[in-house]
Amino acid sequence: MSRYLEQELRSRGSARVIVVLRAATGEGAVAAKRETKRLAPRFRKAGSSLALARSLGEASERYHVFPWLGVVLGTVDASGLAALRADPEVVDVVGAPALSPIRPNAVRAAKLQTAATWGLERLGAPALWQRGLTGKGVLVGHLDTGVDAGHPALSGAVAHFAEFDLLGRETKPAPRPRDSDEHGTHTAATIAGRAVTGRHVGMAPGARLASALVIEGGDAVARVLGGMDWTLGLGVRVLSLSLGFRGYWPDFLAITRILRRKRVLPVFAVGNEYAGTSRSPGNYSEALSVGACDEKGRVADFSSSQRFDRKLDPIVPDLVAPGVDVVSAKPGGGWQSMDGTSMATPHIAGLAALLLEAKPKATVKNLEAAIFASCARPKGMSPERGGLGIPSGLDALEAL
């Protein structure tokens, strides 16, 4: 039993759980819905979801089913947990730690004064554009605080938008794109921002986004799972997530593995809590974890890093990317600069989109391996802080 789940059951008598169904191994959404109906009696209406529902003046739900992921989120007591674990159609039952956005370490007013931001130049995006690669035809999942699709840099970039309410349900009819903060617009434009008066902030200006407002308040786990499920249904190949929960909790490992199995590269920020710390799922070996560097190639002091006692991928982050003084779009128009691993992560998601345009049939393993092979550590960068180092777009293309 997961440590988090054990603690919740001991302290509360019930716990929020993520139930991984055998349908998640490939049987599909129909099988997941069928099995959830059969398992429904195992879930309770009591627990944190009930308190939240009461505060919203709505009826509580026993569970949420996420059919494309093949998982169910619900509340159980000890007997319900035992029954789920004994069911042959259940692969695993894990806890549901609270997720939160990874806040920028600094935010500043800015002007866009160069043809391409320093981050795009550092990763070699302009050189890939010269090869005819812009990310055209690639759909990137973007789960954040939403997006201002009316910003000039994002004109035509947002192919799909969804919003998940405070209980994790997709709102209907589909709302107009909006950003509940400033974080999502900034990260979205770093992935797929279009040129504005000949100046670029986006790595893959031809890619399109499936952007969802999933974070800040409410049942964040349900909202994020809902966003992941929604993007899987749309067929995304890359998922950019500048969010997580502090510390190492293995409860989301199954979700990360499901994403990879369904041909999605999960790109996670490692966190802004300095050396010796990291965030889950960014610290899983199954995630492509991203730390932050500055324009001189130095790891940002706030960028999290950690060594784990495991054979596979013991050091996180896997690599670092531009995450200091990153200029990108501001909701309502204009530009601003932010620092954080949240800013580094969409750079790598955008790089992946460029590579996928070149090799649409590349597997997740191929894509990740090519990015890793392109990395180099500048003089003075410790692998304990910077992982493999900083990627090169052209070298990644060659490796792929």
Side-chain angles (χ1 to χ4, degrees):
M1 183 186 303
S2 80
R3 184 163 48 96
Y4 182 87
L5 181 50
E6 185 177 13
Q7 289 174 0
E8 286 289 288
L9 278 175
R10 188 186 306 118
S11 64
R12 302 165 63 93
S14 64
R16 295 271 280 160
V17 295
I18 299 171
V19 182
V20 183
L21 302 176
R22 198 163 300 282
T25 62
E27 291 184 47
V30 173
K33 290 180 179 178
R34 181 186 66 235
E35 292 306 325
T36 301
K37 288 182 179 179
R38 186 179 61 79
L39 295 170
R42 313 299 189 197
F43 299 100
R44 303 179 59 191
K45 284 192 176 182
S48 59
S49 60
L50 179 59
L52 177 61
R54 282 176 175 163
S55 72
L56 296 173
E58 301 178 17
S60 178
E61 299 176 347
R62 284 183 181 272
Y63 58 84
H64 291 273
V65 57
F66 304 100
W68 292 102
L69 284 168
V71 305
V72 186
L73 177 69
T75 302
V76 299
D77 57 16
S79 63
L81 176 62
L84 286 170
R85 288 192 179 281
D87 195 288
E89 293 303 317
V90 172
V91 175
D92 201 2
V93 185
V94 296
L99 292 158
S100 63
I102 300 175
R103 292 288 178 198
N105 200 59
V107 180
R108 295 172 292 269
K111 294 181 180 180
L112 185 58
Q113 297 178 314
T114 57
T117 63
W118 78 264
L120 307 189
E121 294 284 1
R122 182 65 193 238
L123 296 186
L128 292 176
W129 302 338
Q130 290 175 5
R131 300 284 184 97
L133 299 175
T134 65
K136 185 179 180 181
V138 180
L139 184 65
V140 179
H142 169 253
L143 304 185
D144 212 300
T145 63
V147 62
D148 175 9
H151 192 286
L154 290 162
S155 178
V158 181
H160 308 276
F161 180 79
E163 188 169 333
F164 291 82
D165 71 16
L166 296 183
L167 288 172
R169 301 169 302 193
E170 185 179 354
T171 58
K172 297 289 186 178
R176 293 177 61 85
R178 71 181 184 96
D179 192 344
S180 65
D181 187 64
E182 296 178 334
H183 194 271
T185 299
H186 197 280
T187 56
T190 301
I191 298 169
R194 277 54 176 148
V196 178
T197 63
R199 294 172 180 171
H200 290 264
V201 298
M203 285 288 298
R208 301 193 76 192
L209 298 170
S211 180
L213 196 165
V214 300
I215 203 71
E216 287 194 312
D219 190 343
V221 173
R223 298 177 80 194
V224 171
L225 288 175
M228 289 178 171
D229 195 70
W230 173 74
T231 58
L232 279 179
L234 292 171
V236 304
R237 297 294 313 279
V238 183
L239 193 53
S240 183
L241 301 118
S242 295
L243 49 86
F245 38 93
R246 294 186 184 190
Y248 183 88
W249 299 94
D251 300 83
F252 253 63
L253 266 171
I255 304 300
T256 313
R257 289 168 177 163
I258 289 167
L259 292 172
R260 294 180 73 97
R261 190 157 57 239
K262 295 188 181 280
R263 301 182 68 228
V264 177
L265 177 67
V267 187
F268 280 96
V270 76
N272 295 345
E273 285 83 42
Y274 298 82
T277 67
S278 59
R279 291 217 184 194
S280 305
N283 50 25
Y284 298 163
S285 58
E286 289 84 352
L288 197 172
S289 62
V290 185
C293 68
D294 66 14
E295 192 168 359
K296 294 183 178 179
R298 301 172 300 198
V299 178
D301 59 355
F302 59 78
S303 184
S304 293
S305 60
Q306 194 165 1
R307 175 179 283 274
F308 291 95
D309 184 17
R310 62 191 185 202
K311 290 184 179 180
L312 181 64
D313 194 25
I315 297 173
V316 294
D318 292 312
L319 51 81
V320 291
V324 176
D325 196 18
V326 174
V327 176
S328 190
K330 180 180 180 180
W335 315 96
Q336 60 187 352
S337 168
M338 293 187 182
D339 298 355
T341 57
S342 283
M343 288 60 253
T345 298
H347 278 91
I348 300 303
L351 173 59
L354 293 172
L355 297 175
L356 276 170
E357 183 189 0
K359 296 287 183 181
K361 294 183 179 180
T363 66
V364 170
K365 188 175 181 180
N366 294 155
L367 188 60
E368 188 176 61
I371 293 172
F372 288 170
S374 77
C375 291
R377 285 189 296 272
K379 184 178 180 180
M381 181 183 288
S382 162
E384 296 285 332
R385 292 285 286 131
L388 296 169
I390 305 171
S392 158
L394 283 177
D395 290 345
L397 178 62
E398 184 177 346
L400 189 63

